[in-house]
Amino acid sequence: METKSDRQATYEERYARYKEQIEKALPFFIGTEGASDVEKAARYSLMAGGKRIRPVLFLATADVLGRTGPLLLPFACGIEMIHTYSLIHDDLPCMDDDDLRRGRPTCHKVYGEGMAVLAGDFLLNRAFETLLDAIDPAFPETLKAARLIARAAGGSGMIGGQAIDLMAVHHPLSKEELERMHKMKTGALLSAPVEAAVILSGAGEDVSSVLSDFGKAIGLAFQIRDDILDATLTASELGKSAGKDDRDGKSTYVTLFGLKEAQKKLRETIDAATGQLLRLKDELDVSFLMTLTHRLMTES
Ligand code: GRG
């Protein structure tokens, strides 16, 4: 349950508090016992920082809905492990071929390609081990939430979107195809934390559908923003390579729509996300999610 001091905390304090919980819990769930190369490589990428926005979205949505308890952190950390595996694999030479991630050399640059493939596999398996351990037969919502996360990460979500992305190098996508790809590749794993928290909170149908639409909009906004940042920031500002989309002949919101139109689309998508939150503001404290959404427009 939220305490008075939680409600009075600034956005930054609350984000820092969620992040700290996640940073403390991740080493526990990834396991500290093994010192094999694959475990070191997995830990190198998992503990390299990152915004932790997916587990923060999960914990914040749970907070909004009054869900607390020990089952939250396994879900939050499982989601972050899946995300980190996807980054390790995405950075491989056979995929997006990147040298820099989270401000440091990518996993395969430090541990070699084979070990980076295995580190990603290790994190994905550990994520599902963590989610399975959190399933409580007396509380079927735990199974439902875990299944939702699995779907979001799989062929009709992130992996499916990545496959479309891979086929699209030097083959321009239409605007509709681009949107579909991003909803799957990036959007699915950003809306899943919101939707999983809603399931675990047992929220009613109305709240559930509003927050689900919020999650989908924030997922899309995140990708449009990523395309804009790739085109406008330097590598040191990004903590990863910049200008790669253009170099690789990739269709992005900037290459298909132009920078100005992409910025307009980001604004509209953020408005759609905040519009959903506004529908809940009389019954729930959505201020943290509201600020997080607005910051997508202004922060890199
Ligand atoms: C390899 C199966 C597989 C999937 C990869 C998500 C993804 C699919 C690739 C990442 C490509 C990319 C840069 C997409 C743009 C949006 C995005 C997911 C950015 C990285 O996420 P952040 O900004 O990163 O949350 P941090 O480091 O803060 O966690």
Side-chain angles (χ1 to χ4, degrees):
M1 186 60 79
E2 267 185 283
T3 64
K4 191 159 183 241
S5 63
D6 284 333
R7 284 199 301 276
Q8 287 170 340
T10 64
Y11 169 81
E12 282 75 16
E13 286 163 348
R14 271 182 77 166
Y15 199 108
R17 179 170 61 80
Y18 291 133
K19 207 167 167 219
E20 192 188 341
Q21 286 175 34
I22 297 154
E23 298 297 342
K24 276 193 185 147
L26 280 172
F28 172 77
F29 288 113
I30 195 182
T32 46
E33 75 280 6
S36 66
D37 280 356
V38 67
E39 286 171 285
K40 278 190 208 150
R43 224 170 275 133
Y44 169 81
S45 291
L46 186 67
M47 302 314 295
K51 295 178 289 298
R52 312 299 193 199
I53 190 166
R54 292 156 193 79
V56 166
L57 267 172
F58 174 79
L59 293 177
T61 307
D63 246 353
V64 166
L65 297 169
R67 154 61 65 187
T68 54
L71 70 79
L72 293 182
L73 280 173
F75 277 88
C77 292
I79 292 166
E80 184 64 21
M81 284 190 262
I82 295 170
H83 167 60
T84 304
Y85 119 74
S86 82
L87 297 181
I88 295 174
H89 282 192
D90 186 66
D91 289 334
L92 288 167
C94 61
M95 295 240 184
D96 213 31
D97 191 9
D98 220 319
D99 295 349
L100 198 60
R101 172 69 64 184
R102 293 177 163 169
R104 22 191 326 197
T106 44
C107 192
H108 68 271
K109 282 281 154 195
V110 179
Y111 290 94
E113 282 179 40
M115 204 51 80
V117 170
L118 293 177
D121 296 340
F122 178 94
L123 284 169
L124 181 60
N125 280 280
R126 184 67 96 187
F128 282 105
E129 208 179 324
T130 304
L131 293 176
L132 287 169
D133 284 344
I135 287 170
D136 177 354
F139 184 30
E141 286 79 3
T142 48
L143 180 58
K144 205 173 159 198
R147 182 177 287 137
L148 179 134
I149 293 165
R151 262 187 89 76
S156 56
M158 184 176 71
I159 289 179
Q162 180 77 352
I164 298 173
D165 197 14
L166 211 53
M167 301 303 292
V169 175
H170 301 300
H171 292 92
L173 295 173
S174 69
K175 290 174 182 174
E176 292 72 27
E177 287 168 334
L178 179 79
E179 187 144 315
R180 181 167 168 268
M181 174 187 84
H182 285 323
K183 280 183 175 160
M184 292 167 75
K185 188 183 93 164
T186 309
L189 205 62
L190 276 145
S191 54
V194 175
E195 292 177 316
V198 169
I199 291 171
L200 293 173
S201 307
E205 193 47 49
D206 288 359
V207 171
S208 167
S209 106
V210 171
L211 281 174
S212 168
D213 287 347
F214 160 72
K216 289 187 179 106
I218 204 171
L220 185 59
F222 195 82
Q223 178 64 54
I224 302 174
R225 169 182 164 276
D226 195 75
D227 286 353
I228 292 172
L229 295 180
D230 181 81
T232 53
L233 292 191
T234 63
S236 68
E237 284 167 322
L238 278 174
K240 61 179 184 173
S241 305
K244 280 190 84 265
D245 295 338
D246 197 29
R247 186 201 78 188
D248 297 341
K250 273 194 169 176
S251 303
T252 73
Y253 280 93
V254 176
T255 60
L256 285 196
F257 292 87
L259 185 57
K260 257 194 133 124
E261 197 55 33
Q263 277 161 338
K264 184 165 163 253
K265 203 155 173 52
L266 175 59
R267 161 60 55 211
E268 286 165 1
T269 313
I270 284 176
D271 285 349
T274 54
Q276 294 300 330
L277 292 178
L278 283 174
R279 296 173 62 189
L280 300 173
K281 75 171 187 355
D282 290 338
E283 46 185 317
L284 297 168
D285 177 6
V286 290
S287 55
F288 178 85
L289 292 177
M290 192 67 100
T291 307
L292 186 148
T293 310
H294 281 301
R295 300 270 171 119
L296 281 183
M297 192 74 208
T298 51
E299 283 181 358
S300 53

